Amino acid sequence: MGDALDRLDAEITECRRCPRLVAWREQVAATRRAAFRDEEYWGRPVPGFGPHRAPIAILGLAPAAHGGNRTGRIFTGDRSGDVLFAALHRAGLANQPTSTARDDGLELTATRIFAAVRCAPPDNKPTPQERDTCAPFLHRELRALAPDLRVVVALGAFAWAAFWPAVRAVYGVAPARKVPFGHGALWQADGAPALLGCYHVSQQNTFTGRLTPGMLDEILARAKRLAGLT
Ligand code: SF4
């Protein structure tokens, strides 16, 4: 049976609604990267991860081809995840600093992580149609978390943009005018979780120093305050 999130997770992993993404995720899983050639790739949509009662949500773009699409857990098994989970551990929101496989013992506290698009897209770029096709899963995840949810940390502009239709659909709340994405940008409204912007934890940002561990620590500290955890 399970609760709404168990049912949602199960439904997500079976989804085949986007032909281009289904073909891509399965092709990547069949061909594999040389470093992982002995592994069996997940090759399916990747559900959210973390407790079902969480005041903090972290919203990403989509699984990585050789990360979540390989391991079956979002942000798991790639450099982006290394940076994110190390920061969550420093913030006291994860019981260990690494996330390597679905059975590695990682547990999050008060935090649920999911993506706006649940299948790995070529070049990390879903089409607007794919984003919209996957949006109902995001809305259902937010609806299931709503009783406890206080803040959503949007990793990057894509996640930031995906939040607005979701908050309208789930909470019936919409900003009066467009709210631009920025690192540290904050939107708050009565009757909805706060939205906090953070540069994406991609290698492009972390290798260049655009996003440093200290900047990530500040964002998570703010998220904890907004969630009432500190
Ligand atoms: S991106 Fe979303 S809607 Fe499209 S196939 Fe994957 S899970 Fe289904």
mmCIF file of all heavy atoms in Angstrom, residues 46-81:
data_model
loop_
_atom_site.group_PDB
_atom_site.id
_atom_site.type_symbol
_atom_site.label_atom_id
_atom_site.label_comp_id
_atom_site.label_asym_id
_atom_site.label_seq_id
_atom_site.Cartn_x
_atom_site.Cartn_y
_atom_site.Cartn_z
ATOM 1 N N VAL A 46 14.050 8.586 -12.231
ATOM 2 C CA VAL A 46 14.610 8.564 -10.876
ATOM 3 C C VAL A 46 13.659 9.287 -9.923
ATOM 4 O O VAL A 46 13.378 10.475 -10.095
ATOM 5 C CB VAL A 46 15.996 9.240 -10.858
ATOM 6 C CG1 VAL A 46 16.582 9.212 -9.458
ATOM 7 C CG2 VAL A 46 16.932 8.547 -11.849
ATOM 8 N N PRO A 47 13.147 8.590 -8.922
ATOM 9 C CA PRO A 47 12.214 9.230 -7.975
ATOM 10 C C PRO A 47 12.942 10.114 -6.972
ATOM 11 O O PRO A 47 14.171 10.166 -6.938
ATOM 12 C CB PRO A 47 11.562 8.033 -7.277
ATOM 13 C CG PRO A 47 12.589 6.951 -7.340
ATOM 14 C CD PRO A 47 13.376 7.176 -8.607
ATOM 15 N N GLY A 48 12.177 10.792 -6.131
ATOM 16 C CA GLY A 48 12.746 11.617 -5.080
ATOM 17 C C GLY A 48 13.402 10.753 -4.013
ATOM 18 O O GLY A 48 13.187 9.542 -3.933
ATOM 19 N N PHE A 49 14.229 11.401 -3.178
ATOM 20 C CA PHE A 49 14.943 10.689 -2.122
ATOM 21 C C PHE A 49 14.875 11.503 -0.832
ATOM 22 O O PHE A 49 15.059 12.720 -0.846
ATOM 23 C CB PHE A 49 16.415 10.501 -2.532
ATOM 24 C CG PHE A 49 17.267 9.895 -1.455
ATOM 25 C CD1 PHE A 49 17.016 8.609 -0.991
ATOM 26 C CD2 PHE A 49 18.310 10.610 -0.888
ATOM 27 C CE1 PHE A 49 17.799 8.050 0.015
ATOM 28 C CE2 PHE A 49 19.098 10.069 0.113
ATOM 29 C CZ PHE A 49 18.838 8.781 0.563
ATOM 30 N N GLY A 50 14.630 10.800 0.268
ATOM 31 C CA GLY A 50 14.601 11.476 1.559
ATOM 32 C C GLY A 50 13.301 11.183 2.287
ATOM 33 O O GLY A 50 12.396 10.542 1.752
ATOM 34 N N PRO A 51 13.208 11.663 3.526
ATOM 35 C CA PRO A 51 12.036 11.367 4.342
ATOM 36 C C PRO A 51 10.756 11.939 3.741
ATOM 37 O O PRO A 51 10.778 12.929 3.015
ATOM 38 C CB PRO A 51 12.356 12.025 5.687
ATOM 39 C CG PRO A 51 13.449 12.994 5.420
ATOM 40 C CD PRO A 51 14.200 12.497 4.240
ATOM 41 N N HIS A 52 9.653 11.293 4.068
ATOM 42 C CA HIS A 52 8.354 11.719 3.535
ATOM 43 C C HIS A 52 7.797 12.931 4.274
ATOM 44 O O HIS A 52 6.864 13.553 3.807
ATOM 45 C CB HIS A 52 7.363 10.559 3.597
ATOM 46 C CG HIS A 52 7.710 9.455 2.649
ATOM 47 N ND1 HIS A 52 6.841 8.437 2.334
ATOM 48 C CD2 HIS A 52 8.845 9.211 1.935
ATOM 49 C CE1 HIS A 52 7.421 7.619 1.470
ATOM 50 N NE2 HIS A 52 8.633 8.059 1.231
ATOM 51 N N ARG A 53 8.340 13.205 5.424
ATOM 52 C CA ARG A 53 7.965 14.423 6.150
ATOM 53 C C ARG A 53 9.212 15.283 6.228
ATOM 54 O O ARG A 53 10.141 14.985 6.996
ATOM 55 C CB ARG A 53 7.433 14.081 7.534
ATOM 56 C CG ARG A 53 6.206 13.174 7.472
ATOM 57 C CD ARG A 53 5.476 13.150 8.768
ATOM 58 N NE ARG A 53 5.045 14.490 9.144
ATOM 59 C CZ ARG A 53 4.403 14.777 10.268
ATOM 60 N NH1 ARG A 53 4.127 13.820 11.118
ATOM 61 N NH2 ARG A 53 4.045 16.016 10.531
ATOM 62 N N ALA A 54 9.249 16.315 5.391
ATOM 63 C CA ALA A 54 10.475 17.107 5.278
ATOM 64 C C ALA A 54 10.112 18.580 5.148
ATOM 65 O O ALA A 54 9.396 18.961 4.232
ATOM 66 C CB ALA A 54 11.270 16.659 4.055
ATOM 67 N N PRO A 55 10.654 19.433 6.026
ATOM 68 C CA PRO A 55 10.421 20.874 5.875
ATOM 69 C C PRO A 55 11.285 21.519 4.802
ATOM 70 O O PRO A 55 11.008 22.626 4.367
ATOM 71 C CB PRO A 55 10.761 21.440 7.263
ATOM 72 C CG PRO A 55 11.673 20.437 7.876
ATOM 73 C CD PRO A 55 11.289 19.100 7.310
ATOM 74 N N ILE A 56 12.353 20.806 4.365
ATOM 75 C CA ILE A 56 13.239 21.334 3.324
ATOM 76 C C ILE A 56 13.154 20.430 2.090
ATOM 77 O O ILE A 56 13.265 19.201 2.207
ATOM 78 C CB ILE A 56 14.705 21.371 3.797
ATOM 79 C CG1 ILE A 56 14.854 22.281 5.024
ATOM 80 C CG2 ILE A 56 15.638 21.831 2.676
ATOM 81 C CD1 ILE A 56 16.253 22.252 5.641
ATOM 82 N N ALA A 57 12.958 21.051 0.924
ATOM 83 C CA ALA A 57 13.052 20.317 -0.340
ATOM 84 C C ALA A 57 14.195 20.913 -1.143
ATOM 85 O O ALA A 57 14.404 22.130 -1.137
ATOM 86 C CB ALA A 57 11.749 20.420 -1.122
ATOM 87 N N ILE A 58 14.920 20.053 -1.826
ATOM 88 C CA ILE A 58 15.964 20.522 -2.744
ATOM 89 C C ILE A 58 15.558 20.067 -4.136
ATOM 90 O O ILE A 58 15.365 18.872 -4.382
ATOM 91 C CB ILE A 58 17.338 19.970 -2.342
ATOM 92 C CG1 ILE A 58 17.710 20.535 -0.961
ATOM 93 C CG2 ILE A 58 18.398 20.348 -3.379
ATOM 94 C CD1 ILE A 58 19.045 20.115 -0.433
ATOM 95 N N LEU A 59 15.397 21.049 -5.006
ATOM 96 C CA LEU A 59 14.857 20.780 -6.338
ATOM 97 C C LEU A 59 15.956 20.960 -7.377
ATOM 98 O O LEU A 59 16.502 22.057 -7.529
ATOM 99 C CB LEU A 59 13.688 21.746 -6.609
ATOM 100 C CG LEU A 59 13.018 21.661 -7.970
ATOM 101 C CD1 LEU A 59 12.427 20.275 -8.211
ATOM 102 C CD2 LEU A 59 11.927 22.730 -8.094
ATOM 103 N N GLY A 60 16.256 19.870 -8.090
ATOM 104 C CA GLY A 60 17.265 19.924 -9.136
ATOM 105 C C GLY A 60 16.636 19.953 -10.514
ATOM 106 O O GLY A 60 15.420 20.100 -10.670
ATOM 107 N N LEU A 61 17.486 19.813 -11.517
ATOM 108 C CA LEU A 61 17.020 19.870 -12.906
ATOM 109 C C LEU A 61 16.536 18.492 -13.351
ATOM 110 O O LEU A 61 15.367 18.293 -13.638
ATOM 111 C CB LEU A 61 18.185 20.370 -13.771
ATOM 112 C CG LEU A 61 17.979 20.839 -15.192
ATOM 113 C CD1 LEU A 61 19.265 21.439 -15.740
ATOM 114 C CD2 LEU A 61 17.501 19.746 -16.144
ATOM 115 N N ALA A 62 17.461 17.542 -13.411
ATOM 116 C CA ALA A 62 17.159 16.190 -13.905
ATOM 117 C C ALA A 62 18.312 15.282 -13.500
ATOM 118 O O ALA A 62 19.410 15.767 -13.208
ATOM 119 C CB ALA A 62 17.021 16.216 -15.427
ATOM 120 N N PRO A 63 18.112 13.963 -13.516
ATOM 121 C CA PRO A 63 19.224 13.063 -13.191
ATOM 122 C C PRO A 63 20.333 13.165 -14.242
ATOM 123 O O PRO A 63 20.076 13.513 -15.397
ATOM 124 C CB PRO A 63 18.584 11.666 -13.238
ATOM 125 C CG PRO A 63 17.124 11.876 -13.329
ATOM 126 C CD PRO A 63 16.878 13.249 -13.831
ATOM 127 N N ALA A 64 21.551 12.860 -13.809
ATOM 128 C CA ALA A 64 22.679 12.823 -14.741
ATOM 129 C C ALA A 64 22.737 11.448 -15.409
ATOM 130 O O ALA A 64 22.392 10.433 -14.801
ATOM 131 C CB ALA A 64 23.969 13.099 -13.984
ATOM 132 N N ALA A 65 23.217 11.431 -16.640
ATOM 133 C CA ALA A 65 23.221 10.192 -17.429
ATOM 134 C C ALA A 65 23.980 9.069 -16.715
ATOM 135 O O ALA A 65 23.518 7.925 -16.683
ATOM 136 C CB ALA A 65 23.835 10.468 -18.801
ATOM 137 N N HIS A 66 25.149 9.407 -16.137
ATOM 138 C CA HIS A 66 25.958 8.378 -15.479
ATOM 139 C C HIS A 66 25.934 8.514 -13.960
ATOM 140 O O HIS A 66 26.701 7.867 -13.256
ATOM 141 C CB HIS A 66 27.400 8.447 -16.013
ATOM 142 C CG HIS A 66 27.460 8.243 -17.497
ATOM 143 N ND1 HIS A 66 27.382 7.000 -18.079
ATOM 144 C CD2 HIS A 66 27.516 9.142 -18.515
ATOM 145 C CE1 HIS A 66 27.426 7.141 -19.399
ATOM 146 N NE2 HIS A 66 27.496 8.428 -19.690
ATOM 147 N N GLY A 67 25.054 9.386 -13.450
ATOM 148 C CA GLY A 67 24.849 9.536 -12.015
ATOM 149 C C GLY A 67 23.546 8.845 -11.632
ATOM 150 O O GLY A 67 23.484 7.618 -11.517
ATOM 151 N N GLY A 68 22.490 9.649 -11.458
ATOM 152 C CA GLY A 68 21.201 9.070 -11.075
ATOM 153 C C GLY A 68 20.689 8.029 -12.053
ATOM 154 O O GLY A 68 20.074 7.036 -11.650
ATOM 155 N N ASN A 69 20.935 8.228 -13.326
ATOM 156 C CA ASN A 69 20.464 7.254 -14.320
ATOM 157 C C ASN A 69 21.216 5.923 -14.207
ATOM 158 O O ASN A 69 20.749 4.894 -14.652
ATOM 159 C CB ASN A 69 20.630 7.838 -15.733
ATOM 160 C CG ASN A 69 19.988 6.971 -16.792
ATOM 161 O OD1 ASN A 69 18.794 6.693 -16.740
ATOM 162 N ND2 ASN A 69 20.787 6.522 -17.761
ATOM 163 N N ARG A 70 22.376 5.966 -13.571
ATOM 164 C CA ARG A 70 23.162 4.735 -13.348
ATOM 165 C C ARG A 70 22.778 4.088 -12.024
ATOM 166 O O ARG A 70 22.561 2.881 -11.952
ATOM 167 C CB ARG A 70 24.662 5.079 -13.352
ATOM 168 C CG ARG A 70 25.569 3.914 -12.979
ATOM 169 C CD ARG A 70 27.022 4.271 -13.200
ATOM 170 N NE ARG A 70 27.458 5.403 -12.386
ATOM 171 C CZ ARG A 70 27.971 5.311 -11.156
ATOM 172 N NH1 ARG A 70 28.098 4.122 -10.595
ATOM 173 N NH2 ARG A 70 28.345 6.396 -10.494
ATOM 174 N N THR A 71 22.672 4.900 -10.976
ATOM 175 C CA THR A 71 22.505 4.348 -9.628
ATOM 176 C C THR A 71 21.051 4.228 -9.189
ATOM 177 O O THR A 71 20.745 3.486 -8.267
ATOM 178 C CB THR A 71 23.230 5.240 -8.606
ATOM 179 O OG1 THR A 71 22.645 6.558 -8.647
ATOM 180 C CG2 THR A 71 24.716 5.348 -8.914
ATOM 181 N N GLY A 72 20.163 5.010 -9.807
ATOM 182 C CA GLY A 72 18.752 4.969 -9.427
ATOM 183 C C GLY A 72 18.399 5.903 -8.287
ATOM 184 O O GLY A 72 17.270 5.893 -7.805
ATOM 185 N N ARG A 73 19.375 6.694 -7.829
ATOM 186 C CA ARG A 73 19.079 7.679 -6.791
ATOM 187 C C ARG A 73 19.573 9.040 -7.253
ATOM 188 O O ARG A 73 20.688 9.158 -7.754
ATOM 189 C CB ARG A 73 19.734 7.287 -5.465
ATOM 190 C CG ARG A 73 19.231 8.142 -4.297
ATOM 191 C CD ARG A 73 19.597 7.527 -2.950
ATOM 192 N NE ARG A 73 21.009 7.658 -2.696
ATOM 193 C CZ ARG A 73 21.667 6.952 -1.762
ATOM 194 N NH1 ARG A 73 21.032 6.060 -1.022
ATOM 195 N NH2 ARG A 73 22.954 7.133 -1.584
ATOM 196 N N ILE A 74 18.765 10.031 -7.035
ATOM 197 C CA ILE A 74 19.063 11.368 -7.549
ATOM 198 C C ILE A 74 20.374 11.901 -6.951
ATOM 199 O O ILE A 74 20.642 11.699 -5.767
ATOM 200 C CB ILE A 74 17.860 12.316 -7.266
ATOM 201 C CG1 ILE A 74 17.983 13.613 -8.037
ATOM 202 C CG2 ILE A 74 17.631 12.541 -5.780
ATOM 203 C CD1 ILE A 74 17.737 13.504 -9.490
ATOM 204 N N PHE A 75 21.195 12.551 -7.780
ATOM 205 C CA PHE A 75 22.480 13.135 -7.386
ATOM 206 C C PHE A 75 23.457 12.097 -6.822
ATOM 207 O O PHE A 75 24.375 12.450 -6.083
ATOM 208 C CB PHE A 75 22.296 14.253 -6.350
ATOM 209 C CG PHE A 75 21.828 15.554 -6.952
ATOM 210 C CD1 PHE A 75 20.568 16.054 -6.662
ATOM 211 C CD2 PHE A 75 22.646 16.268 -7.808
ATOM 212 C CE1 PHE A 75 20.127 17.244 -7.216
ATOM 213 C CE2 PHE A 75 22.205 17.460 -8.370
ATOM 214 C CZ PHE A 75 20.950 17.952 -8.076
ATOM 215 N N THR A 76 23.264 10.852 -7.154
ATOM 216 C CA THR A 76 24.101 9.807 -6.564
ATOM 217 C C THR A 76 25.058 9.219 -7.597
ATOM 218 O O THR A 76 24.630 8.786 -8.660
ATOM 219 C CB THR A 76 23.201 8.703 -5.971
ATOM 220 O OG1 THR A 76 22.468 9.273 -4.884
ATOM 221 C CG2 THR A 76 24.016 7.524 -5.484
ATOM 222 N N GLY A 77 26.353 9.252 -7.239
ATOM 223 C CA GLY A 77 27.350 8.651 -8.112
ATOM 224 C C GLY A 77 27.937 9.605 -9.130
ATOM 225 O O GLY A 77 28.483 9.159 -10.141
ATOM 226 N N ASP A 78 27.845 10.910 -8.886
ATOM 227 C CA ASP A 78 28.515 11.855 -9.780
ATOM 228 C C ASP A 78 29.074 13.025 -8.962
ATOM 229 O O ASP A 78 28.828 13.146 -7.764
ATOM 230 C CB ASP A 78 27.590 12.327 -10.912
ATOM 231 C CG ASP A 78 26.367 13.061 -10.388
ATOM 232 O OD1 ASP A 78 26.407 13.609 -9.271
ATOM 233 O OD2 ASP A 78 25.352 13.111 -11.111
ATOM 234 N N ARG A 79 29.827 13.890 -9.630
ATOM 235 C CA ARG A 79 30.516 14.979 -8.926
ATOM 236 C C ARG A 79 29.536 15.978 -8.310
ATOM 237 O O ARG A 79 29.795 16.534 -7.253
ATOM 238 C CB ARG A 79 31.455 15.708 -9.893
ATOM 239 C CG ARG A 79 32.573 14.845 -10.411
ATOM 240 C CD ARG A 79 33.601 14.585 -9.301
ATOM 241 N NE ARG A 79 34.619 13.648 -9.727
ATOM 242 C CZ ARG A 79 35.716 13.985 -10.379
ATOM 243 N NH1 ARG A 79 35.942 15.233 -10.688
ATOM 244 N NH2 ARG A 79 36.598 13.069 -10.702
ATOM 245 N N SER A 80 28.428 16.220 -8.987
ATOM 246 C CA SER A 80 27.437 17.155 -8.435
ATOM 247 C C SER A 80 26.947 16.651 -7.087
ATOM 248 O O SER A 80 26.843 17.408 -6.115
ATOM 249 C CB SER A 80 26.235 17.297 -9.381
ATOM 250 O OG SER A 80 26.644 17.742 -10.630
ATOM 251 N N GLY A 81 26.649 15.361 -7.039
ATOM 252 C CA GLY A 81 26.174 14.761 -5.798
ATOM 253 C C GLY A 81 27.236 14.795 -4.717
ATOM 254 O O GLY A 81 26.931 15.015 -3.539
#
